[in-house]
Amino acid sequence: MTSSESGLGVGASLRRKEDARFLNGQGRYVGDITRPGMLEVAFLRSPVAHARLRSVTKPAGAESKVFTIDDFPGVGTIRANSALPGFRISEQPVLAKDKLRHVGETIAACVADSRAAAEDLAALCELDYETLPAVFDMRTATLPETALVHDHWSMNAFLETRRDDDVSGLDAIAAAKVTRTLKTSRQSMAPLEGRGVLAEWDSRLEQMIVTTSTQMPHVTKSGLADCLGLDEGQVRIISPDVGGGFGYKGILLPEEVVCASLARRLGRPVRWIEDRFEQLSASANCREHHYILTAWADKDGKLLGAECEAIVDAGAYSSYPFGACLEAAQIGSILPGPYVLPLLRCHTVSACTNKPPILPYRGVARTGVCYAMETTLDALARKLGITAEAIRLVNLVPPEAMPHRNLVGKVFDSGDYPESLRRAVKAIDIPAVRKRQAAGETVGVGFATFCEQGAHGTSVYHAWGIPFVPGYEQSHVRLSPDGVLEVRVGVHSHGQGMETTLSQVANEVLGIHPSKVRVVHGDTALTPYSTGTWGSRAGVMAGGAVAEACRQLSVRIAAIGAALLQVSKDDVVVEDGKVRRKDTDSSVSIADVARTWYRAPQNLPRDVDKGGLEITAGYRPDPDTGTHSYAAHAVIARVDTDTGEVVLEDYVIVEDGGKLLNPMIVDGQVLGGLAQGIGTALYEEMPYDEMGQPLAGTLADYLLPGSSDVPDARLEHMETLSPWTTFGQKGIGESGAIGPPGAIINAINDALASIGAEVMDLPATPERVLAAIHLAKSGKQ
């Protein structure tokens, strides 16, 4: 019996091991951790978007409790470099110096025995500053007359990229051409747990220990050591339970550097816990894109080419380690999506503005690009008089072309993209929608198809020039004397259920029951180096590393077990938690092997493998250009033309993540992403006024979808194995968040097609829906 057949290994819908502590309130987050003598920190933050900072006056009598950048002369700036030609480097001070560049930027750290007292100190500080014009609109940020966010730059752009295929002849041969101007709004990620930091200096070890809510402990360690002027052995990062990340917890924080500096200076533990106002108004934002997209097609809807002018609002600084250009610089490579696109001309700008620095949010540029491409495809279909599904089917990469290298060099490993769309079309009731439309109902159906590159490695990222490049993912496995397997990994779980899935991987190789597998993660002192959890990579990379380490360990287990069975190691197999003699029932348990190695070594021959029962192994797919999961989303939406309200009546997702390590966990990931994608499509928006002031400082203003806003979606899985990964698995953690905006807006526009209205800006709030209807009725759309 194989592990999979036992219902415990790879492919089994095993209940999550970690849920017991989470559901019983026994999770341990940064906010749950205290230390004797601990001080709390509150930050004095910039009240304006752009200004010359003249001085900070500390409260009289409390000067020793308030710290500005002048109090940390040896602390470095946060500096995210890139090797991309033309990239402009920003120096982000951990506490503002000379200039303020966005509302909420940290200016001073105030310490007290309680957060309330620390906040009182911050309120007593006095700022002297000269207000400057705020750069609030990415579309005008690069104009010559616009104020410079960084005075030594020539323009407000981190980077421009170009691809210049010749599309000049397409007008003459195309049966249809459409151009759409589209915009996505700035969002603020909203994990249940905000960010938090607890720093303490261990004078005996001469080590900075920082407990922080991060999804990338080892990368945070490198960045923090660099800023503090310490060697990396003097920094230990502990990331306990993390209440959601989504990319938001994937950067080095100024607050982490400041808290660590304070802890060493004061000789006391120092903690900062982010409140929701800070999280919404002062922290990294995401997904603010602007597109002018033109597409040409022949009479059958087959794409002839596309031209795109895209701007991404990257905020004031380039965050470490990902950088400000991760969104915009990817647009040109993501735009073709799952389609065969012969020609592409694309110009992108990563605009620098007086807003918080952007961060890659679940989907990382794909959500906006998918929205732009999918809505433009529907516009082409309407112009040609063909269906939305027909134009997609004629353009999707066919299964016989796999593996497929597309126009921009993306290599699709495997899949049947058209089949996923056909299944979505079959599952959604299009005839019923058309019947309702004929009866006068304002209801529509929308589709979105996309592919998601995940687990891409060295060959992709070294060209980007970011401060880290993923290489071989490592795992350390150790068999304890009682037969329990300890698995140590450098990735970190913030909701993905890794403690369960990686136990299943170990079970698949060794047959040890998942309850006897302990996954250790989130501590740089205990785990092998990893770039962390991002880019839908953990299932592929950490899963592959754990499998490889367990396979190497099984060789040693087999040798010891064979000695106990008094046969050659070539005559045994390791399976179902045992070392079994081939073609017989004679066996010893892996627990007996461990017990003998550690506690009764006299029973082993002298020539047994001296390596012991622990292994560190590395894994990297070959090639490591990434896996490509894909999906088709289909939705039915009803629009109230009097109020602008949109109701999602039905939602279908057909996705292919290769071999699903745990289908139940995958379902949870896809449905969670769907909720976030619905937020992007219909609700979430962080608006800024002309002074660069954020206008949604609470969750009463910043709307998140609730349970009644997320339909009971139907999921269908396809499992086309990747030929390049250990079990055929593909990265799928971000998939659910990519497709909803494109599908939902297409459904809204299908519902409004009879009156000629189109919604082109996200989110499709009632105000925007009504505005589109008004424009159509007035003939100005």
Side-chain angles (χ1 to χ4, degrees), residues 542-601:
V546 171
E548 179 59 29
C550 287
R551 285 180 183 137
Q552 292 186 27
L553 183 63
S554 73
V555 175
R556 297 185 182 180
I557 292 171
I560 297 171
L564 295 178
L565 292 169
Q566 299 182 349
V567 297
S568 167
K569 62 182 179 181
D570 295 331
D571 294 329
V572 299
V573 293
V574 178
E575 62 181 16
D576 199 23
K578 300 175 183 178
V579 180
R580 182 178 59 80
R581 184 175 178 179
K582 293 177 181 177
D583 303 322
T584 72
D585 293 329
S586 180
S587 66
V588 294
S589 70
I590 289 178
D592 286 335
V593 168
R595 191 175 301 109
T596 303
W597 170 262
Y598 290 108
R599 295 177 177 170

Side-chain angles (χ1 to χ4, degrees), residues 16 18-19 22 215 242 244-247 362-363 450 452 492-498 501 533-539 633 653 655 657 660-677 710 713 715 717 730-740:
R16 300 198 329 169
E18 47 269 79
D19 282 349
F22 293 146
Q215 59 197 72
V242 172
F246 316 123
R362 196 176 193 173
F450 62 89
E452 180 204 354
H492 193 282
S493 182
H494 47 274
Q496 298 91 333
M498 289 184 200
T501 53
T533 304
W534 53 275
S536 296
R537 67 187 301 273
H633 287 222
I653 301 175
E655 58 78 26
L660 305 183
L661 299 182
N662 184 314
M664 182 171 61
I665 288 178
V666 170
D667 284 353
Q669 288 290 294
V670 173
L671 291 173
L674 169 62
Q676 290 173 308
V710 181
L715 306 185
H717 297 296
K730 302 179 181 182
I732 198 172
E734 301 168 86
S735 174
I738 298 171

Side-chain angles (χ1 to χ4, degrees), residues 119-143:
E119 289 180 353
D120 289 343
L121 287 175
L124 293 173
C125 293
E126 296 181 3
L127 294 179
D128 182 14
Y129 56 84
E130 175 193 353
T131 303
L132 298 171
V135 183
F136 68 95
D137 189 340
M138 61 183 170
R139 294 169 297 179
T140 59
T142 58
L143 295 178

Side-chain angles (χ1 to χ4, degrees), residues 90 250 602 680:
S90 63
Q602 70 275 9
T680 300

